[in-house]
Amino acid sequence: MPTYYPINETAARRAKEMNSYFNYEPGSATAAYRQEVDKAAAIAEAQKARVDPMYHEKIDRLLDTYARKLAENINQGYAIDARCPSILTAGSSNFPVRKKEKQNRASDANMAEWKHIQGLLDKIRGTGMGGISSDDSGALPKLREKLAHREREQENMKSVNAFYRKHGTLDGCPSLTPEEAEQLKASMARSRRAAPKPYESYLLRNNNQTIRSIKARIAELEAKQSFPAPEGWSFDGGRVVMNQEENRVQILFDGKPDADIRSELKHAGFRWAPSQGAWQRMLNHDGIYAAKTITGKWMMPAEQAEIATEQVLDEEPCSEEPAPFSYPQQSM
């Protein structure tokens, strides 16, 4: 059973009176909201039936977020609709045109947020069907399991190749089932290489690269858990927030930034989130650094110096072993 959040029936009735000649049916707004949540719950249950139980908690969390944000959006929509009457109910004489235009702009923004909220349904449908997201609370154990699988694969490929080099055949290879051996033989027979191998070198290189990438992601997530994100900071014209719940670093401006700044934000990987009222990207080292770089021009001189120091450090040659992940320290 999903969690239902309260719908403002008073605001719903007022919005109806301002825009229609028909009477408001008590409870109809709440009933309509719950119907939408029930549809989302059905999608969630269907997805749970398709995926491993390890993903069920994330699906439940997404469903709850959908129900909460939808209620907030609906209530905000009723509040907006109640600000100014429809011209059909108020008449054209002395109609507050500018007030209506302002109301229409607010309605457009509310609709954009509604579309963003509906995107949560796609997230529910996609949970457990693709890669492992850093937003997933169970990302670390899933990545460790994936790493172990890839490492077993690597050792198996090397073992099979070694057996073939020694014996010149795959018959009797302890690392393969008879079916797997026959499949590899057929693959080698189709190969155009002069001396085909059971597993060509590029397969081992690609798998090894995947292993390194998974290890790097594990190290980053482990470091993130060991070293909590720093405090946000203010700048002239807004502030930066570390939103742990959404796993996003967010830049909130006091007003709408101009086109050049918006372009800079997009170039740095930030995207506008109407539901959050913020420009945001993933909460990690790169996201925090990008936020500091963008807002640095509006910071105090000491903070600008800190950014310059980090840029110098980033330009230094890296050793073969990656440096331990850590969040940049703030001196606010």
Side-chain angles (χ1 to χ4, degrees), residues 246-295:
E246 298 289 335
N247 195 29
R248 296 291 185 271
V249 54
Q250 300 176 328
I251 304 179
L252 295 89
F253 292 90
D254 295 338
K256 183 177 180 179
D258 61 33
D260 290 341
I261 296 175
R262 295 198 302 273
S263 176
E264 184 180 357
L265 287 163
K266 293 175 183 177
H267 183 73
F270 286 89
R271 295 295 179 266
W272 172 247
S275 62
Q276 299 290 320
W279 289 86
Q280 63 181 25
R281 59 174 287 178
M282 189 75 74
L283 176 53
N284 54 25
H285 177 276
D286 291 339
I288 295 171
Y289 180 80
K292 290 185 68 177
T293 301
I294 289 173
T295 61

Side-chain angles (χ1 to χ4, degrees), residues 23-261:
N23 293 328
Y24 175 71
E25 181 181 346
S28 59
T30 297
Y33 158 72
R34 292 192 173 197
Q35 186 177 20
E36 293 303 309
V37 174
D38 288 342
K39 290 178 182 178
I43 294 172
E45 289 304 315
Q47 190 64 15
K48 284 182 182 181
R50 300 174 63 193
V51 301
D52 191 280
M54 72 171 63
Y55 295 102
H56 290 189
E57 182 181 350
K58 182 178 181 181
I59 292 172
D60 288 337
R61 189 168 64 252
L62 285 169
L63 175 61
D64 184 71
T65 300
Y66 175 82
R68 173 172 55 82
K69 289 184 176 294
L70 182 63
E72 293 170 355
N73 179 261
I74 289 174
N75 286 331
Q76 178 66 14
Y78 289 140
I80 292 170
D81 289 345
R83 291 177 187 174
C84 183
S86 166
I87 193 171
L88 297 177
T89 58
S92 59
S93 179
N94 296 320
F95 185 76
V97 175
R98 291 188 177 180
K99 186 175 182 180
K100 191 64 177 179
E101 290 174 346
K102 186 176 181 180
Q103 181 194 46
N104 289 339
R105 289 194 295 271
S107 294
D108 289 343
N110 188 254
M111 175 55 69
E113 183 179 2
W114 178 86
K115 291 178 180 178
H116 177 80
I117 293 168
Q118 296 307 303
L120 290 171
L121 299 179
D122 291 330
K123 285 190 175 183
I124 292 174
R125 295 186 184 98
T127 299
M129 306 301 290
I132 301 171
S133 170
S134 298
D135 290 343
D136 189 344
S137 59
L140 266 176
K142 292 172 188 175
L143 284 170
R144 290 183 182 122
E145 181 180 345
K146 185 176 181 180
L147 174 63
H149 172 73
R150 286 287 187 169
E151 288 177 333
R152 288 194 300 269
E153 240 183 14
Q154 189 78 355
E155 291 304 314
N156 183 70
M157 288 191 291
K158 291 163 65 176
S159 173
V160 170
N161 280 356
F163 183 91
Y164 183 76
R165 284 197 304 270
K166 182 176 181 179
H167 301 283
T169 180
L170 292 176
D171 294 335
C173 179
S175 301
L176 298 172
T177 65
E179 294 77 11
E180 290 171 337
E182 291 304 318
Q183 288 176 358
L184 283 175
K185 287 179 185 178
S187 175
M188 293 169 66
R190 293 192 300 269
S191 176
R192 296 183 179 181
R193 296 176 184 271
K197 304 175 186 176
Y199 295 104
E200 297 295 343
S201 299
Y202 75 88
L203 293 173
L204 279 85
R205 286 196 302 271
N206 291 347
N207 194 57
N208 202 40
Q209 177 59 46
T210 300
I211 289 172
R212 288 197 295 269
S213 298
I214 296 171
K215 285 181 177 179
R217 286 195 65 195
I218 290 174
E220 180 176 348
L221 290 177
E222 287 177 339
K224 183 177 179 181
Q225 290 185 356
S226 302
F227 301 97
E231 296 285 336
W233 62 89
S234 297
F235 57 90
D236 185 15
R239 67 188 189 280
V240 176
V241 175
M242 306 299 157
N243 191 327
Q244 300 284 359
E245 180 182 354
E246 298 289 335
N247 195 29
R248 296 291 185 271
V249 54
Q250 300 176 328
I251 304 179
L252 295 89
F253 292 90
D254 295 338
K256 183 177 180 179
D258 61 33
D260 290 341
I261 296 175

